[in-house]
Every structure is written in C-alpha cells, then in structure tokens.
Amino acid sequence: MISLTNVSKVFDKTTVLKEVTIEFEPEKTYAIIGSSGAGKSTLLRCINLLEIPSSGSVVVDGVNLVLDKKKLSLVREKIGMVFQNFNLFAHMSALHNVMFALVKVKKMNDADAQKEAVKYLTEVGLQYRLNNYPHQLSGGEKQRVAIARALAMKPKVMLFDEPTSALDPEMTQEVLKVIKQLNHIGMTNIIVTHEIKFAQEVADYIIFMDNAEILEVTPTQIFFSKPKSSRAVEFLSNMI
C-alpha cells in the first residue's frame, strides 16, 4: 500500500533523508529505530507529505502524492497520525476532539459522530473522561484521546511519531498497551520509537536508520538476534 522510492529531504543544505527506498506490506507493524537525528520522524512525515520530499516518490494506495497533490486530502483520510505532543484542541473536551473530524471530514451528523467517539474513547479506556478537557487529563490520557481520534477515522494506516517521548514511565506503559492492541485489527502500523523492548514485542519488522539512511529492514526476531550491519550491532549493544 505504501512505497517510497529514492526519497531525499534536505533542510538548509543538511540532508536528513538520503535516497530512501522502502515498501510497507499491508497489515504489518513496523518499528523505526535508530539514534536521534537519524531521519526517523522525517521518514514518517514524508509518508503523508507533512514533510514534502526534496526528491523521490511517495505512493500510497496507488497515488503518487508528490505528483498528484490534488488527491492528497483523500489519501490522508486513510492515514491516521499520532504525534509526540498530542495536538489536541485545548478548547474541546475529549469527546469533541474525537468528534471534530468525523463531523468536518466524514460529514457525520452530531449524534452519529458522538456515538463513534464514545465507542473509540471506550476502546482506549477513557469512557470516564468524555467531558474532560486536555488540561484536565494526564499525558497518557491525552495520548489515548489522540489515538482514539485517529482510530475513529477508520484509517488503513496508523503513523506514530514517538508517541511516548513526552510521557513518564508509567504513562508510557499505558499508551504502549493501547498501541499493542492495534496489532490485531488489520491496519498497517508504522511506529517511530526509542522504546526498544516495545519495538521487539510489537513489530513484525524493524527499520533501522542511521545518518539519514535505512540500513536494515529486517524481521524483528532476526534483527535482534542477527543484525546485518555493524552500526546496528553497535546500536543494540548500547541500548540493550
């Protein structure tokens, strides 16, 4: 469903992605790992063109988003994204944060949108927080609202950009538990994470990045037992 070919991204003469080529299989979970500054988040953001590649192609569901930007909004409806810092509307309750796109994008009436929002907030364990505003929620609860908001759009793909980096260890575990549950509902999940143990438990494939390049795309069990690149061996020795 997703294919990147020779994707490069340059910011102010600094290359942050260097001719990246990768295909993502449907309904698989990928964890993108590597040291800070390796290009992980930039790669993720190029998939839905939150970052526009300097060169190369991004094809999602048969559409080359770089060449056919008119279809970008339609393709984005199939892609959910969860950010590091939640990106909730501060003036809306948890319920209305989830309802908003259902009404504006999916054109649901308020009653149907509310029913869907309650369903997905309940799935992430927040049925008792429906009317709370972001400032009344813990970091873990905010991130679970963000996940419910993305899931309510029924995407084919979920992108997670370091979803636990702003959380303390206890809140991290509650969010990771919710993400693990998504492995069983038939979506493609692509997760940028520093949580190596989590990546090992949840991912079908590990994408290992270093210095703006993908060095490995390897089945998880093989990556952690027999990494191919010397840089991955070094990285794992420092992390595990």
Side-chain angles (χ1 to χ4, degrees):
M1 183 181 178
I2 302 170
S3 177
L4 280 66
T5 305
N6 295 327
V7 170
S8 294
K9 180 65 180 179
V10 180
F11 291 111
D12 298 327
K13 299 182 180 180
T14 299
T15 300
V16 293
L17 280 184
K18 191 184 302 178
E19 295 189 354
V20 165
T21 295
I22 184 173
E23 290 190 359
F24 295 89
E25 294 180 30
E27 300 185 17
K28 298 293 185 182
T29 294
Y30 294 79
I32 306 176
I33 67 172
S35 57
S36 296
K40 304 184 300 296
S41 291
T42 302
L43 170 61
L44 193 78
R45 293 167 68 88
C46 281
I47 291 172
N48 60 0
L49 256 61
L50 287 180
E51 297 290 354
I52 298 174
S54 304
S55 61
S57 67
V58 178
V59 177
V60 179
D61 218 13
V63 178
N64 188 331
L65 299 182
V66 176
L67 298 178
D68 198 352
K69 293 188 176 69
K70 289 181 181 178
K71 294 183 179 178
L72 180 58
S73 60
L74 291 174
V75 172
R76 279 181 173 163
E77 289 183 26
K78 303 172 186 178
I79 304 174
M81 186 153 186
V82 176
F83 299 87
Q84 300 179 43
N85 296 314
F86 324 126
N87 286 15
L88 299 179
F89 296 110
H91 64 290
M92 292 184 186
S93 66
L95 181 66
H96 283 92
N97 262 283
V98 179
M99 287 177 60
F100 182 78
L102 295 174
V103 173
K104 294 295 183 181
V105 178
K106 295 284 190 181
K107 307 301 182 185
M108 284 187 180
N109 60 50
D110 283 352
D112 287 342
Q114 180 170 326
K115 185 177 178 181
E116 285 291 285
V118 170
K119 171 186 170 183
Y120 285 100
L121 285 165
T122 300
E123 283 191 10
V124 299
L126 291 178
Q127 62 273 19
Y128 56 95
R129 293 292 202 196
L130 301 179
N131 297 313
N132 289 92
Y133 287 80
H135 74 272
Q136 298 170 312
L137 302 174
S138 70
E141 288 170 336
K142 290 176 189 175
Q143 196 59 291
R144 284 188 280 157
V145 172
I147 292 171
R149 178 177 61 183
L151 288 176
M153 299 297 287
K154 296 184 172 64
K156 292 183 177 181
V157 179
M158 283 283 281
L159 308 178
F160 295 89
D161 188 7
E162 299 192 31
T164 61
S165 64
L167 306 179
D168 66 32
E170 184 177 4
M171 292 178 186
T172 291
Q173 291 309 308
E174 70 181 47
V175 170
L176 294 182
K177 182 179 178 182
V178 170
I179 296 173
K180 282 181 187 178
Q181 294 168 354
L182 304 184
N183 260 15
H184 309 293
I185 61 174
M187 290 189 306
T188 303
N189 297 303
I190 307 172
I191 308 164
V192 172
T193 184
H194 289 292
E195 300 286 337
I196 299 302
K197 184 179 178 184
F198 169 70
Q200 193 170 6
E201 290 175 359
V202 77
D204 298 298
Y205 292 93
I206 300 295
I207 300 169
F208 178 68
M209 296 189 69
D210 189 59
N211 196 28
E213 296 180 288
I214 292 177
L215 298 189
E216 297 194 36
V217 182
T218 309
T220 300
Q221 188 174 356
I222 296 174
F223 179 82
F224 283 99
S225 60
K226 281 187 177 180
K228 298 173 186 175
S229 64
S230 59
R231 181 67 187 95
V233 172
E234 180 187 4
F235 176 82
L236 289 175
S237 69
N238 291 329
M239 297 295 293
I240 297 177

